Amino acid sequence: MTVSTNLPSFHTPGVEDDRTGLGIETLKRAFFDNLYYVQGKLPNRASTVDYYMALAYTVRDRLLQRWLATEDILTRPEVRIVGYLSAEFLMGPHLGNNLINLDIYAPVKQAIEESGLNLQELIDIEEEPGLGNGGLGRLAACYLDSLASLQIPAIGYGIRYEFGIFDQEIVDGWQVEITDKWLKYGNPWEVARPEEAVEIKFGGYTQPYTDDQGRYRVRWVPGSTVMGIPYDTPITGYNVNTVNTLRLWKAEAPESFDFTAFNQGDYWGAVNDKVVSETISKVLYPNDEQIQGKQLRLQQQFFFVSCSLQDVIRRQLESGRTLDTLHEKFSLQMNDTHPSVAVAELMRLLVDEHMLEWDHAWDITTRTLAYTNHTLLPEALEKWSVSLFGSLLPRHLEIIFEINSRFLDQVRLRYPGDEARLGQLSLIDEGGDRSVRMANLACVGSHAINGVAALHSELLKKTVLHDFYELMPEKFCNVTNGVTPRRWLALSNPRLTALIDRRIGNGWLTHLDRLRELESAADDAGFRHEWRMVKRDIKADLADHIANRTGISVNPDTLFDIQVKRIHEYKRQHLNVLHIVTLYHRLKQNPNQDMAGRTFIFGGKAAPGYDMAKRIIKLITSVGDVVNKDPDVSDRLRVVFLPDYNVTFGQRVYPAAELSEQISLAGLEASGTGNMKFSMNGALTIGTLDGANVEIREEVGAENFFLFGMKTEEVTALRSQGYNPMSYYHSNETLKAVIDLIASGHFSHGDRELFRPLIDNLLYHDPYMLLADYQSYVDCQDQVDRAYRDSENWVRMSILNAARMGKFSSDRSIQDYAQTIWQADAVPIEIEA
Ligand code: AZC
């Protein structure tokens, strides 16, 4: 189906109009017009931020026609829409990405340069909207890019946090959190739509009544209301007319003043309500895969879910359809359990507000919703105490009890007398302080449940969701994650992109499988040389950046070994450190040791309340302080912790990597997506058989991947037989020396207490089994060292890695979702000139 937009002609500006034209002179004029009329600045008084804003408006003008055309087709009853519900969208900066997707990078660069400015400087000054913690939020952003690029009508629904993920500074080797004021200069990419605001209720009580047809009904009498104001951001597709929308909700008080309180002279009380309402969208919880169980978090979840579902229902009705066919027009994907209260809220809207019968409403709800699980970590499985839930959402708690009672009746029919199973499947955890299990709610209320990599989806069926799998196997499927090659290659790595273009032509950015055409180039010495030179240049740039940022000088001719991701014990950054200390120890023992020089680069944020993770950062910086200054080793070893890892930083670091560290304990990293960004940019992976590493290795070939460590089954077996980390310490001399060196205070100015919590944890508990995997890791790293010194073959492997990454384009992931879960089609849009 292709649709043409027939907006009235006065809505369609002329092509060479200052708002749409792409001629160099037009672009320059438009840029200075926006500086003058929108930003309100004369060129001689304008700052870089002013110029950035003017350019952002100039680019935004050029996508508006497509954006409005896409909005317009959403209203057609036959157009199916994907709604992606996510508490996090880690978009990264928009300007550069939009220049690529709109294919206007070259003319804009020329226009800006002819105006005496530097385009890269303007791109770099954008404050990135860090509205996410890590993998899950960034995945949502890649998926929006692919949905638009595949011309699938879609809306991302989330929260417009005033403060996103904190900025990280390193002070005395420790992480310090700084508030993220991303909105401080305004946000040129968003458009507020207060006319589409919705009302959200909380608290109060419920009241049964009989309606005029004599039916039993329940009414919710809320205790308070807040308004949800939508802010829309355009999501451009690559080289297509589709421009989808990211709709983020901001919480506001319904009235600026409570006039009753105000008239009684309580000015403070009158304004206070407003303040309280607005806290809902104030700040992103900075925890990654660790729940905090705070009431405000549940308020945030319900807030954006209710706003979004009301928006969906409005669109359904405005398109001329009734709610009976909601599932035919909308497919709503829940990104983890954060939006899973949608199951209860959609039921409430359909039954209480739109008067549908329960069974009918349930059929619509389950056919509309689908659930993606992103983690097997028990501490990330959301539960809300029944009392907290009931005080905030009394009607929803009743609905959940009703869903549960009907569901458990079915379970009883299937498994008569199996009380244990009933207890596992129940939406309510009856143990101790009773709680609502959000994953169970999501499973029962969805027609599809997916994991994010093949191994993860299998483990879900075997472990956390085992009982659900036995009961409803038809709902389960896998969709392996992917990342967008537009941001993670074209934008991040223009030099490699140009080299690939020269070899295989263009078109591969939307058909990433075509990178396979590079395979033959791996055997071409000339091409290998060019490939190596590109990597060398980018490494030199990163080395400059590191020197500016940290004062540490690194040699671009050493192996760049990089681990960037959230700091978490299961990701085992400290295993990487054990290897570094092993090399250090070796070089101290034998200074003539033959080895390739290595630069270890780390980046990542720790949840502010996660002491162990923060101590891992301190360990990395402390080891770095000693190693980098020790003349015996510092020509061959450098250790850098680059502060404030975020999307912008990722764009700089992935292209420079030669070795990608993907070293989680097998069975714990659901997928990983950084692993894909590294490989796409020609890094080789050292990794365990975990998450998507398994599939990456299948694609690139075992001979082009450095595998180590226990497999999932071995981990399970070792755990059940009783894991004793101390036995590894005692039986491995080097391991013992390395641990003793850290414990002795060698890296902490003699302080033996600083790293004791880390060391004791490893020796007495070691929940992530670093000691069991240590030797295998070190052996594998030695293999890496030998491989790197055969530099021609290394480059060959690097090319083959990039060439075989087609599967990990998020376009493939989105096609999988569209076919197996959403039944959504491309709707190409033609725009009449
Ligand atoms: C992450 C997983 O840890 C990571 O393996 C995966 O690649 C990513 O999601 C995207 O699927 N999970 C999270 O970021 N957070 C939670 C709550 O799971």
Side-chain angles (χ1 to χ4, degrees), residues 17 100 283 295 395 741:
D17 180 276
I100 301 265
V283 56
Q295 164 162 322
R395 178 58 185 142
L741 195 61

Side-chain angles (χ1 to χ4, degrees), residues 135-136 139 288-289 336 338 374-375 452 481 570 669-673:
L136 169 149
L139 186 77
D288 182 62
E289 310 190 50
D336 215 89
H338 316 147
H374 292 268
T375 180
V452 290
N481 284 169
Y570 88 80
E669 189 68 272
S671 164
T673 45

Side-chain angles (χ1 to χ4, degrees), residues 39-75:
Q39 198 56 16
K41 279 283 173 83
L42 288 168
N44 60 340
R45 313 262 325 147
S47 66
T48 314
V49 172
D50 293 321
Y51 282 122
Y52 157 75
M53 295 289 271
L55 180 56
Y57 288 121
T58 307
V59 172
R60 198 182 84 177
D61 288 343
R62 277 151 186 78
L63 59 76
L64 262 167
Q65 191 185 15
R66 295 178 214 186
W67 194 15
L68 297 183
T70 309
E71 260 296 313
D72 186 55
I73 67 144
L74 298 188
T75 62

Side-chain angles (χ1 to χ4, degrees), residues 590-785:
N590 175 8
N592 300 320
Q593 173 87 32
D594 203 12
M595 67 167 273
R598 272 216 216 194
T599 301
F600 294 90
I601 298 166
F602 291 85
K605 293 174 185 175
Y610 187 174
D611 179 77
M612 212 57 110
K614 291 182 137 178
R615 228 169 266 270
I616 291 174
I617 294 178
K618 177 66 175 168
L619 177 66
I620 296 166
T621 55
S622 303
V623 169
D625 281 346
V626 171
V627 167
N628 298 344
K629 287 185 195 125
D630 188 330
D632 292 347
V633 303
S634 65
D635 58 332
R636 278 161 296 171
L637 286 187
R638 280 290 145 98
V639 182
V640 179
F641 189 95
L642 260 175
D644 205 29
Y645 176 54
N646 57 14
V647 175
T648 312
F649 169 168
Q651 289 173 199
R652 193 187 285 280
V653 84
Y654 291 115
E658 291 174 291
L659 188 67
S660 151
E661 298 270 354
Q662 307 301 334
I663 61 179
S664 52
L665 177 64
L668 293 181
E669 189 68 272
S671 164
T673 45
N675 46 5
M676 302 167 186
K677 297 164 197 165
F678 276 115
S679 278
M680 254 179 213
N681 283 280
L684 303 196
T685 304
I686 182 164
T688 48
L689 270 188
D690 201 12
N693 295 353
V694 178
E695 291 157 82
I696 292 176
R697 180 166 170 269
E698 267 165 28
E699 292 294 305
V700 305
E703 67 289 3
N704 301 308
F705 187 105
F706 297 97
L707 179 69
F708 77 97
M710 293 180 289
K711 306 187 179 29
T712 319
E713 311 82 68
E714 292 166 332
V715 170
T716 318
L718 182 56
R719 189 154 280 150
S720 64
Q721 104 201 12
Y723 173 55
N724 176 14
M726 199 58 104
S727 67
Y728 292 87
Y729 169 80
H730 283 302
S731 61
N732 186 330
E733 228 175 273
T734 321
L735 173 61
K736 181 168 185 307
V738 163
I739 289 195
D740 290 349
L741 195 61
I742 299 172
S744 74
H746 187 82
F747 301 105
S748 42
H749 309 284
D751 180 349
R752 294 161 158 269
E753 294 310 310
L754 185 59
F755 299 123
R756 188 187 292 278
L758 273 173
I759 299 293
D760 283 357
N761 190 260
L762 288 181
L763 292 179
Y764 300 107
H765 309 285
D766 196 15
Y768 303 104
M769 299 184 163
L770 280 75
L771 303 199
D773 272 347
Y774 168 81
Q775 194 55 52
S776 163
Y777 180 55
V778 170
D779 292 344
C780 191
Q781 286 284 17
D782 289 341
Q783 227 178 295
V784 168
D785 177 68

Side-chain angles (χ1 to χ4, degrees), residues 340-394:
S340 60
V341 69
V343 177
E345 172 66 352
L346 187 51
M347 283 301 285
R348 187 191 68 82
L349 289 166
L350 295 177
V351 173
D352 292 0
E353 309 242 324
H354 293 275
M355 306 298 168
L356 268 65
E357 293 300 336
W358 181 280
D359 289 331
H360 187 35
W362 184 245
D363 185 53
I364 295 167
T365 297
T366 52
R367 289 166 84 167
T368 305
L369 294 171
Y371 160 51
T372 304
N373 172 291
H374 292 268
T375 180
L376 297 161
L377 293 190
E379 64 266 37
L381 288 180
E382 290 195 295
K383 292 201 284 183
W384 293 105
S385 93
V386 163
S387 57
L388 185 142
F389 202 103
S391 70
L392 208 60
L393 302 169

